[in-house]
mmCIF file of all heavy atoms in Angstrom:
data_model
loop_
_atom_site.group_PDB
_atom_site.id
_atom_site.type_symbol
_atom_site.label_atom_id
_atom_site.label_comp_id
_atom_site.label_asym_id
_atom_site.label_seq_id
_atom_site.Cartn_x
_atom_site.Cartn_y
_atom_site.Cartn_z
ATOM 1 N N GLY A 1 -10.454 5.514 -14.426
ATOM 2 C CA GLY A 1 -9.232 5.608 -13.577
ATOM 3 C C GLY A 1 -8.212 4.420 -13.749
ATOM 4 O O GLY A 1 -8.481 3.466 -14.732
ATOM 5 N N GLU A 2 -7.190 4.306 -12.989
ATOM 6 C CA GLU A 2 -6.263 3.377 -13.248
ATOM 7 C C GLU A 2 -6.719 1.909 -12.621
ATOM 8 O O GLU A 2 -7.440 1.780 -11.647
ATOM 9 C CB GLU A 2 -5.050 3.686 -12.359
ATOM 10 C CG GLU A 2 -3.796 2.774 -12.391
ATOM 11 C CD GLU A 2 -3.319 2.532 -13.786
ATOM 12 O OE1 GLU A 2 -3.871 1.621 -14.539
ATOM 13 O OE2 GLU A 2 -2.281 3.138 -14.132
ATOM 14 N N ASN A 3 -6.289 0.895 -13.400
ATOM 15 C CA ASN A 3 -6.661 -0.491 -12.979
ATOM 16 C C ASN A 3 -5.289 -1.313 -13.077
ATOM 17 O O ASN A 3 -4.705 -1.275 -14.108
ATOM 18 C CB ASN A 3 -7.815 -1.019 -13.781
ATOM 19 C CG ASN A 3 -8.137 -2.429 -13.379
ATOM 20 O OD1 ASN A 3 -8.336 -2.714 -12.152
ATOM 21 N ND2 ASN A 3 -8.115 -3.329 -14.242
ATOM 22 N N VAL A 4 -4.985 -1.970 -12.039
ATOM 23 C CA VAL A 4 -3.743 -2.659 -11.972
ATOM 24 C C VAL A 4 -4.051 -4.163 -11.704
ATOM 25 O O VAL A 4 -4.792 -4.536 -10.760
ATOM 26 C CB VAL A 4 -2.837 -2.213 -10.773
ATOM 27 C CG1 VAL A 4 -1.500 -3.038 -10.810
ATOM 28 C CG2 VAL A 4 -2.423 -0.765 -11.066
ATOM 29 N N GLU A 5 -3.660 -5.002 -12.655
ATOM 30 C CA GLU A 5 -3.757 -6.505 -12.420
ATOM 31 C C GLU A 5 -2.455 -7.108 -12.227
ATOM 32 O O GLU A 5 -1.367 -6.644 -12.625
ATOM 33 C CB GLU A 5 -4.389 -7.129 -13.794
ATOM 34 C CG GLU A 5 -5.818 -6.528 -14.000
ATOM 35 C CD GLU A 5 -6.444 -7.302 -15.231
ATOM 36 O OE1 GLU A 5 -5.784 -8.055 -15.828
ATOM 37 O OE2 GLU A 5 -7.579 -6.876 -15.486
ATOM 38 N N GLN A 6 -2.452 -8.280 -11.448
ATOM 39 C CA GLN A 6 -1.247 -8.803 -10.980
ATOM 40 C C GLN A 6 -1.317 -10.396 -11.012
ATOM 41 O O GLN A 6 -2.439 -10.882 -10.634
ATOM 42 C CB GLN A 6 -0.946 -8.428 -9.587
ATOM 43 C CG GLN A 6 0.338 -8.943 -9.065
ATOM 44 C CD GLN A 6 0.598 -8.348 -7.604
ATOM 45 O OE1 GLN A 6 0.086 -7.292 -7.180
ATOM 46 N NE2 GLN A 6 1.649 -8.919 -6.989
ATOM 47 N N HIS A 7 -0.258 -11.035 -11.590
ATOM 48 C CA HIS A 7 -0.292 -12.541 -11.854
ATOM 49 C C HIS A 7 1.029 -13.088 -11.507
ATOM 50 O O HIS A 7 2.129 -12.442 -11.818
ATOM 51 C CB HIS A 7 -0.746 -12.816 -13.231
ATOM 52 C CG HIS A 7 -2.095 -12.429 -13.528
ATOM 53 N ND1 HIS A 7 -3.116 -13.084 -13.169
ATOM 54 C CD2 HIS A 7 -2.480 -11.359 -14.190
ATOM 55 C CE1 HIS A 7 -4.288 -12.301 -13.656
ATOM 56 N NE2 HIS A 7 -3.828 -11.352 -14.375
ATOM 57 N N PRO A 8 1.161 -14.204 -10.820
ATOM 58 C CA PRO A 8 0.026 -15.059 -10.434
ATOM 59 C C PRO A 8 -0.387 -14.531 -9.043
ATOM 60 O O PRO A 8 0.210 -13.659 -8.405
ATOM 61 C CB PRO A 8 0.619 -16.315 -10.455
ATOM 62 C CG PRO A 8 2.114 -16.307 -10.044
ATOM 63 C CD PRO A 8 2.469 -14.880 -10.735
ATOM 64 N N SER A 9 -1.549 -15.115 -8.594
ATOM 65 C CA SER A 9 -2.014 -14.793 -7.207
ATOM 66 C C SER A 9 -1.236 -15.549 -6.191
ATOM 67 O O SER A 9 -1.031 -15.053 -5.062
ATOM 68 C CB SER A 9 -3.463 -15.062 -7.084
ATOM 69 O OG SER A 9 -3.795 -16.396 -7.420
ATOM 70 N N THR A 10 -0.693 -16.766 -6.491
ATOM 71 C CA THR A 10 0.040 -17.507 -5.636
ATOM 72 C C THR A 10 1.297 -18.138 -6.417
ATOM 73 O O THR A 10 1.149 -18.418 -7.632
ATOM 74 C CB THR A 10 -0.643 -18.597 -4.950
ATOM 75 O OG1 THR A 10 -1.104 -19.471 -5.814
ATOM 76 C CG2 THR A 10 -1.742 -18.077 -3.968
ATOM 77 N N LEU A 11 2.513 -18.279 -5.808
ATOM 78 C CA LEU A 11 3.706 -18.737 -6.542
ATOM 79 C C LEU A 11 4.393 -19.485 -5.528
ATOM 80 O O LEU A 11 4.771 -18.919 -4.459
ATOM 81 C CB LEU A 11 4.353 -17.431 -7.082
ATOM 82 C CG LEU A 11 5.579 -17.815 -7.748
ATOM 83 C CD1 LEU A 11 5.446 -18.718 -9.045
ATOM 84 C CD2 LEU A 11 6.249 -16.513 -8.281
ATOM 85 N N SER A 12 4.874 -20.673 -5.873
ATOM 86 C CA SER A 12 5.703 -21.546 -4.959
ATOM 87 C C SER A 12 6.896 -21.813 -5.729
ATOM 88 O O SER A 12 6.778 -22.285 -6.883
ATOM 89 C CB SER A 12 4.916 -22.762 -4.467
ATOM 90 O OG SER A 12 3.909 -22.444 -3.613
ATOM 91 N N VAL A 13 8.079 -21.572 -5.176
ATOM 92 C CA VAL A 13 9.378 -21.915 -5.876
ATOM 93 C C VAL A 13 10.262 -22.656 -4.785
ATOM 94 O O VAL A 13 10.181 -22.409 -3.649
ATOM 95 C CB VAL A 13 10.049 -20.694 -6.369
ATOM 96 C CG1 VAL A 13 9.166 -19.960 -7.425
ATOM 97 C CG2 VAL A 13 10.328 -19.773 -5.216
ATOM 98 N N GLN A 14 11.110 -23.291 -5.412
ATOM 99 C CA GLN A 14 12.204 -24.027 -4.440
ATOM 100 C C GLN A 14 13.263 -23.016 -4.208
ATOM 101 O O GLN A 14 13.495 -22.136 -4.997
ATOM 102 C CB GLN A 14 12.841 -25.130 -5.135
ATOM 103 C CG GLN A 14 11.908 -26.475 -5.332
ATOM 104 C CD GLN A 14 11.528 -27.040 -4.067
ATOM 105 O OE1 GLN A 14 10.396 -27.325 -3.741
ATOM 106 N NE2 GLN A 14 12.559 -27.234 -3.106
ATOM 107 N N GLU A 15 13.781 -23.108 -2.997
ATOM 108 C CA GLU A 15 14.836 -22.192 -2.535
ATOM 109 C C GLU A 15 15.982 -22.219 -3.581
ATOM 110 O O GLU A 15 16.402 -23.386 -4.006
ATOM 111 C CB GLU A 15 15.406 -22.596 -1.101
ATOM 112 C CG GLU A 15 16.498 -21.718 -0.588
ATOM 113 C CD GLU A 15 16.974 -22.188 0.811
ATOM 114 O OE1 GLU A 15 16.330 -23.140 1.334
ATOM 115 O OE2 GLU A 15 17.862 -21.573 1.287
ATOM 116 N N GLY A 16 16.447 -21.063 -3.953
ATOM 117 C CA GLY A 16 17.535 -20.920 -4.979
ATOM 118 C C GLY A 16 16.987 -20.723 -6.420
ATOM 119 O O GLY A 16 17.785 -20.162 -7.142
ATOM 120 N N ASP A 17 15.722 -21.021 -6.696
ATOM 121 C CA ASP A 17 15.217 -20.695 -7.896
ATOM 122 C C ASP A 17 14.726 -19.217 -8.108
ATOM 123 O O ASP A 17 14.807 -18.412 -7.108
ATOM 124 C CB ASP A 17 14.005 -21.479 -8.212
ATOM 125 C CG ASP A 17 14.204 -22.956 -8.364
ATOM 126 O OD1 ASP A 17 15.511 -23.354 -8.563
ATOM 127 O OD2 ASP A 17 13.344 -23.900 -8.452
ATOM 128 N N SER A 18 14.355 -18.889 -9.228
ATOM 129 C CA SER A 18 13.915 -17.556 -9.426
ATOM 130 C C SER A 18 12.550 -17.375 -9.425
ATOM 131 O O SER A 18 11.688 -18.425 -9.655
ATOM 132 C CB SER A 18 14.492 -17.017 -10.862
ATOM 133 O OG SER A 18 15.917 -16.947 -10.870
ATOM 134 N N ALA A 19 11.915 -16.194 -9.149
ATOM 135 C CA ALA A 19 10.461 -15.952 -9.007
ATOM 136 C C ALA A 19 10.274 -14.757 -9.857
ATOM 137 O O ALA A 19 11.001 -13.717 -9.876
ATOM 138 C CB ALA A 19 9.951 -15.677 -7.615
ATOM 139 N N VAL A 20 9.192 -14.712 -10.655
ATOM 140 C CA VAL A 20 8.742 -13.612 -11.461
ATOM 141 C C VAL A 20 7.294 -13.368 -11.320
ATOM 142 O O VAL A 20 6.404 -14.193 -11.282
ATOM 143 C CB VAL A 20 8.978 -13.803 -13.023
ATOM 144 C CG1 VAL A 20 8.580 -12.658 -13.772
ATOM 145 C CG2 VAL A 20 10.363 -14.257 -13.297
ATOM 146 N N ILE A 21 6.926 -12.072 -10.920
ATOM 147 C CA ILE A 21 5.579 -11.672 -10.801
ATOM 148 C C ILE A 21 5.376 -10.512 -11.729
ATOM 149 O O ILE A 21 6.158 -9.544 -12.017
ATOM 150 C CB ILE A 21 5.485 -11.116 -9.364
ATOM 151 C CG1 ILE A 21 5.747 -12.170 -8.369
ATOM 152 C CG2 ILE A 21 3.913 -10.653 -9.257
ATOM 153 C CD1 ILE A 21 5.782 -11.631 -6.854
ATOM 154 N N LYS A 22 4.133 -10.559 -12.482
ATOM 155 C CA LYS A 22 3.932 -9.588 -13.555
ATOM 156 C C LYS A 22 2.675 -8.834 -13.167
ATOM 157 O O LYS A 22 1.699 -9.311 -12.648
ATOM 158 C CB LYS A 22 3.566 -10.346 -14.707
ATOM 159 C CG LYS A 22 4.852 -11.224 -15.304
ATOM 160 C CD LYS A 22 4.557 -11.916 -16.694
ATOM 161 C CE LYS A 22 5.869 -12.660 -16.954
ATOM 162 N NZ LYS A 22 5.710 -13.270 -18.225
ATOM 163 N N CYS A 23 2.734 -7.492 -13.602
ATOM 164 C CA CYS A 23 1.556 -6.658 -13.347
ATOM 165 C C CYS A 23 1.396 -5.818 -14.699
ATOM 166 O O CYS A 23 2.247 -5.545 -15.464
ATOM 167 C CB CYS A 23 1.914 -5.586 -12.328
ATOM 168 S SG CYS A 23 1.788 -6.333 -10.747
ATOM 169 N N THR A 24 0.085 -5.620 -14.864
ATOM 170 C CA THR A 24 -0.351 -4.711 -16.013
ATOM 171 C C THR A 24 -1.091 -3.513 -15.484
ATOM 172 O O THR A 24 -1.815 -3.554 -14.424
ATOM 173 C CB THR A 24 -1.218 -5.519 -17.073
ATOM 174 O OG1 THR A 24 -2.413 -5.981 -16.437
ATOM 175 C CG2 THR A 24 -0.502 -6.573 -17.652
ATOM 176 N N TYR A 25 -1.015 -2.410 -16.202
ATOM 177 C CA TYR A 25 -1.822 -1.217 -15.769
ATOM 178 C C TYR A 25 -2.616 -0.628 -16.993
ATOM 179 O O TYR A 25 -2.279 -1.072 -18.099
ATOM 180 C CB TYR A 25 -0.891 -0.089 -15.126
ATOM 181 C CG TYR A 25 0.198 0.294 -15.979
ATOM 182 C CD1 TYR A 25 0.162 1.488 -16.678
ATOM 183 C CD2 TYR A 25 1.520 -0.350 -16.194
ATOM 184 C CE1 TYR A 25 1.090 2.089 -17.365
ATOM 185 C CE2 TYR A 25 2.430 0.202 -17.015
ATOM 186 C CZ TYR A 25 2.256 1.318 -17.686
ATOM 187 O OH TYR A 25 3.321 1.851 -18.392
ATOM 188 N N SER A 26 -3.565 0.211 -16.724
ATOM 189 C CA SER A 26 -4.375 0.573 -17.774
ATOM 190 C C SER A 26 -4.186 1.950 -18.259
ATOM 191 O O SER A 26 -4.399 2.395 -19.376
ATOM 192 C CB SER A 26 -5.871 0.418 -17.306
ATOM 193 O OG SER A 26 -6.158 1.246 -16.267
ATOM 194 N N ASP A 27 -3.730 2.937 -17.311
ATOM 195 C CA ASP A 27 -3.600 4.373 -17.623
ATOM 196 C C ASP A 27 -2.280 4.652 -18.056
ATOM 197 O O ASP A 27 -1.226 4.589 -17.384
ATOM 198 C CB ASP A 27 -3.874 5.063 -16.324
ATOM 199 C CG ASP A 27 -4.152 6.593 -16.625
ATOM 200 O OD1 ASP A 27 -3.664 7.023 -17.598
ATOM 201 O OD2 ASP A 27 -4.688 7.319 -15.826
ATOM 202 N N SER A 28 -2.132 5.088 -19.311
ATOM 203 C CA SER A 28 -0.790 5.260 -19.891
ATOM 204 C C SER A 28 -0.157 6.595 -19.316
ATOM 205 O O SER A 28 1.029 6.751 -19.491
ATOM 206 C CB SER A 28 -1.011 5.583 -21.404
ATOM 207 O OG SER A 28 -1.851 6.674 -21.648
ATOM 208 N N ALA A 29 -0.894 7.371 -18.440
ATOM 209 C CA ALA A 29 -0.313 8.491 -17.746
ATOM 210 C C ALA A 29 0.421 7.946 -16.471
ATOM 211 O O ALA A 29 1.180 8.837 -15.874
ATOM 212 C CB ALA A 29 -1.259 9.444 -17.434
ATOM 213 N N SER A 30 0.309 6.706 -16.045
ATOM 214 C CA SER A 30 1.023 6.343 -14.908
ATOM 215 C C SER A 30 2.517 6.323 -15.094
ATOM 216 O O SER A 30 3.121 6.034 -16.118
ATOM 217 C CB SER A 30 0.691 4.836 -14.435
ATOM 218 O OG SER A 30 -0.589 4.847 -13.998
ATOM 219 N N ASN A 31 3.250 6.788 -14.073
ATOM 220 C CA ASN A 31 4.747 7.077 -14.331
ATOM 221 C C ASN A 31 5.539 6.665 -13.123
ATOM 222 O O ASN A 31 6.876 6.924 -13.148
ATOM 223 C CB ASN A 31 4.904 8.734 -14.536
ATOM 224 C CG ASN A 31 4.232 9.443 -13.318
ATOM 225 O OD1 ASN A 31 3.953 8.960 -12.325
ATOM 226 N ND2 ASN A 31 4.105 10.746 -13.525
ATOM 227 N N TYR A 32 4.991 5.989 -12.160
ATOM 228 C CA TYR A 32 5.870 5.511 -11.131
ATOM 229 C C TYR A 32 5.226 4.232 -10.552
ATOM 230 O O TYR A 32 3.918 4.021 -10.447
ATOM 231 C CB TYR A 32 5.559 6.487 -9.876
ATOM 232 C CG TYR A 32 6.433 6.057 -8.658
ATOM 233 C CD1 TYR A 32 7.831 5.989 -8.623
ATOM 234 C CD2 TYR A 32 5.702 5.883 -7.513
ATOM 235 C CE1 TYR A 32 8.506 5.580 -7.454
ATOM 236 C CE2 TYR A 32 6.368 5.463 -6.372
ATOM 237 C CZ TYR A 32 7.786 5.274 -6.312
ATOM 238 O OH TYR A 32 8.387 4.848 -5.195
ATOM 239 N N PHE A 33 6.057 3.090 -10.480
ATOM 240 C CA PHE A 33 5.649 1.802 -10.215
ATOM 241 C C PHE A 33 6.543 1.247 -9.190
ATOM 242 O O PHE A 33 7.524 0.658 -9.377
ATOM 243 C CB PHE A 33 5.878 0.987 -11.570
ATOM 244 C CG PHE A 33 5.241 1.621 -12.704
ATOM 245 C CD1 PHE A 33 5.965 2.517 -13.621
ATOM 246 C CD2 PHE A 33 3.871 1.368 -13.032
ATOM 247 C CE1 PHE A 33 5.390 3.158 -14.672
ATOM 248 C CE2 PHE A 33 3.286 1.997 -14.049
ATOM 249 C CZ PHE A 33 3.978 2.962 -14.967
ATOM 250 N N PRO A 34 5.924 1.229 -7.901
ATOM 251 C CA PRO A 34 6.669 0.602 -6.795
ATOM 252 C C PRO A 34 6.282 -0.827 -6.585
ATOM 253 O O PRO A 34 5.163 -1.176 -6.952
ATOM 254 C CB PRO A 34 6.227 1.528 -5.517
ATOM 255 C CG PRO A 34 4.831 1.957 -6.008
ATOM 256 C CD PRO A 34 4.761 1.950 -7.471
ATOM 257 N N TRP A 35 6.985 -1.557 -5.896
ATOM 258 C CA TRP A 35 6.721 -2.967 -5.451
ATOM 259 C C TRP A 35 6.875 -3.039 -3.919
ATOM 260 O O TRP A 35 7.875 -2.670 -3.376
ATOM 261 C CB TRP A 35 7.811 -3.990 -6.113
ATOM 262 C CG TRP A 35 7.458 -4.195 -7.534
ATOM 263 C CD1 TRP A 35 7.840 -3.614 -8.475
ATOM 264 C CD2 TRP A 35 6.556 -5.245 -8.022
ATOM 265 N NE1 TRP A 35 7.337 -4.102 -9.744
ATOM 266 C CE2 TRP A 35 6.601 -5.220 -9.421
ATOM 267 C CE3 TRP A 35 5.826 -6.321 -7.335
ATOM 268 C CZ2 TRP A 35 5.841 -5.972 -10.238
ATOM 269 C CZ3 TRP A 35 5.038 -7.173 -8.249
ATOM 270 C CH2 TRP A 35 5.127 -6.869 -9.462
ATOM 271 N N TYR A 36 5.935 -3.527 -3.220
ATOM 272 C CA TYR A 36 5.941 -3.601 -1.866
ATOM 273 C C TYR A 36 5.884 -5.186 -1.317
ATOM 274 O O TYR A 36 5.260 -5.852 -2.038
ATOM 275 C CB TYR A 36 4.752 -2.841 -1.257
ATOM 276 C CG TYR A 36 4.945 -1.474 -1.085
ATOM 277 C CD1 TYR A 36 4.729 -0.550 -2.210
ATOM 278 C CD2 TYR A 36 5.199 -0.827 0.121
ATOM 279 C CE1 TYR A 36 5.022 0.876 -2.075
ATOM 280 C CE2 TYR A 36 5.499 0.603 0.201
ATOM 281 C CZ TYR A 36 5.323 1.347 -0.913
ATOM 282 O OH TYR A 36 5.554 2.756 -0.857
ATOM 283 N N LYS A 37 6.543 -5.390 -0.287
ATOM 284 C CA LYS A 37 6.661 -6.729 0.291
ATOM 285 C C LYS A 37 5.897 -6.634 1.744
ATOM 286 O O LYS A 37 6.107 -5.683 2.447
ATOM 287 C CB LYS A 37 8.057 -7.139 0.435
ATOM 288 C CG LYS A 37 8.128 -8.524 1.291
ATOM 289 C CD LYS A 37 9.659 -8.734 1.275
ATOM 290 C CE LYS A 37 9.843 -10.172 2.139
ATOM 291 N NZ LYS A 37 11.332 -10.367 2.456
ATOM 292 N N GLN A 38 4.907 -7.601 1.900
ATOM 293 C CA GLN A 38 4.255 -7.508 3.213
ATOM 294 C C GLN A 38 4.433 -8.965 3.717
ATOM 295 O O GLN A 38 3.745 -9.916 3.241
ATOM 296 C CB GLN A 38 2.800 -7.156 2.982
ATOM 297 C CG GLN A 38 2.013 -7.066 4.238
ATOM 298 C CD GLN A 38 0.595 -6.692 4.217
ATOM 299 O OE1 GLN A 38 -0.077 -6.898 3.138
ATOM 300 N NE2 GLN A 38 0.108 -6.013 5.207
ATOM 301 N N GLU A 39 5.119 -9.041 4.898
ATOM 302 C CA GLU A 39 5.267 -10.356 5.547
ATOM 303 C C GLU A 39 4.085 -10.413 6.470
ATOM 304 O O GLU A 39 3.368 -9.485 6.751
ATOM 305 C CB GLU A 39 6.462 -10.282 6.362
ATOM 306 C CG GLU A 39 7.717 -10.192 5.481
ATOM 307 C CD GLU A 39 9.085 -10.226 6.230
ATOM 308 O OE1 GLU A 39 9.034 -10.254 7.470
ATOM 309 O OE2 GLU A 39 10.123 -10.183 5.627
#
Side-chain angles (χ1 to χ4, degrees):
Chain A
E2 177 63 277
N3 181 49
V4 177
E5 296 184 356
Q6 184 172 346
H7 298 281
S9 56
T10 59
L11 178 60
S12 292
V13 299
Q14 290 294 135
E15 183 176 357
D17 287 351
S18 295
V20 180
I21 302 170
K22 298 181 179 181
C23 287
T24 60
Y25 60 99
S26 60
D27 192 338
S28 56
S30 287
N31 54 15
Y32 177 66
F33 307 92
W35 285 90
Y36 280 77
K37 175 183 180 183
Q38 186 178 25
E39 297 176 3

